[in-house]
């Protein structure tokens, strides 16, 4: 196992560009069931937790079956209380979005990947979420087009609150992705 680790997940929009960095600190990781011999139910089990962007405790459990004919895995987990604005340094670069306000009180997910398809769900309880759309070239909120896009997103696309005590039912994000032949696991 690993205790007290640090992990930085980086995404670049173009070669040589500044990466968006998502950090995890105080990482604890435990791997079990690593073997090259096992029965039909043999699986590698990974359990991990760490502080995402030094703001919210993320817990993940992953099971990777060893006897399947193709690559498969299932992962689930939760995120504790978090100030969502802490994600902005990553999202500014990767999605050209800035979280202006927002507080998650809980989030959970359960996703299964098999035969080139990911299926599952993501549920988050959050309050006071507002975003700003950033200019792709300048990275700023300024400009008429960005202000209009920000207004439309906050008014019509983004749920300001997603909580069980709201009058409307909570939104649950459904995950469905089919791997394309050109998709790679790692882009080097």
């Amino acid at each position: 196992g690993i205790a007290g680790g640090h992990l930085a997940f980086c995404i670049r929009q173009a070669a040589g560009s500044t990466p968006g960095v998502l950090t995890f600190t105080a990482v604890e990781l435990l791997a079990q069931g690593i073997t090259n011999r096992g029965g039909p139910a043999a699986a590698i089990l990974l359990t991990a937790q760490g502080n995402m962007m030094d703001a919210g405790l993320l817990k993940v459990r992953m099971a990777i079956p060893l006897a399947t004919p193709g690559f498969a895995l299932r992962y689930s987990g939760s995120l504790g209380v978090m100030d969502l604005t802490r994600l902005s340094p990553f999202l500014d670069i990767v999605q050209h979005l800035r979280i202006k306000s927002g507080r998650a009180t809980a989030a959970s997910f359960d996703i299964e990947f098999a035969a080139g398809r990911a299926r599952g769900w993501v549920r988050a309880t959050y309050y006071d979420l507002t975003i700003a759309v950033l200019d792709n070239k300048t990275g700023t909120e300024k400009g008429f087009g960005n202000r209009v896009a920000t207004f439309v997103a906050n008014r019509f696309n983004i749920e300001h609150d997603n909580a069980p005590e709201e009058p409307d039912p909570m939104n649950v994000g459904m995950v469905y992705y089919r791997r394309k032949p050109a998709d790679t696991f790692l882009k080097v």
Side-chain angles (χ1 to χ4, degrees):
I2 296 172
H6 179 89
L7 176 69
F9 173 75
C10 303
I11 295 179
R12 292 183 194 274
Q13 296 295 21
S17 66
T18 301
V21 181
L22 193 60
T23 62
F24 301 89
T25 56
V27 173
E28 295 179 16
L29 174 72
L30 178 63
Q32 297 172 297
I34 298 175
T35 182
N36 58 3
R37 296 181 186 170
I44 297 172
L45 300 175
L46 300 173
T47 54
Q49 70 176 38
N51 296 318
M52 185 164 63
M53 301 298 278
D54 282 325
L57 180 62
L58 178 67
K59 295 180 179 182
V60 178
R61 177 181 160 91
M62 184 180 295
I64 306 168
L66 298 174
T68 58
F71 180 70
L73 66 90
R74 180 177 191 151
Y75 60 100
S76 60
S78 63
L79 175 66
V81 173
M82 181 174 178
D83 173 359
L84 296 174
T85 63
R86 298 294 297 268
L87 295 171
S88 285
F90 177 73
L91 294 174
D92 284 7
I93 294 170
V94 174
Q95 294 293 319
H96 304 291
L97 293 174
R98 180 169 296 145
I99 298 177
K100 301 293 284 184
S101 67
R103 176 175 162 76
T105 57
S108 57
F109 55 91
D110 190 347
I111 300 166
E112 186 170 5
F113 180 85
R117 292 184 179 155
R119 294 185 176 121
W121 54 266
V122 178
R123 179 180 298 122
T125 303
Y126 60 84
Y127 300 90
D128 191 33
L129 180 63
T130 58
I131 66 164
V133 177
L134 305 180
D135 183 88
N136 290 351
K137 292 183 179 155
T138 66
T140 68
E141 303 172 35
K142 298 177 182 175
F144 179 73
N146 294 45
R147 290 183 189 156
V148 169
T150 295
F151 171 79
V152 169
N154 285 316
R155 183 76 171 126
F156 303 108
N157 299 101
I158 302 293
E159 291 289 334
H160 188 65
D161 298 315
N162 193 44
E165 66 271 7
E166 292 298 311
D168 296 326
M170 279 186 67
N171 288 326
V172 175
M174 299 309 295
V175 175
Y176 181 81
Y177 181 79
R178 177 178 280 194
R179 185 183 176 280
K180 298 171 188 72
D183 287 351
T184 58
F185 184 69
L186 294 174
K187 293 181 183 180
V188 186

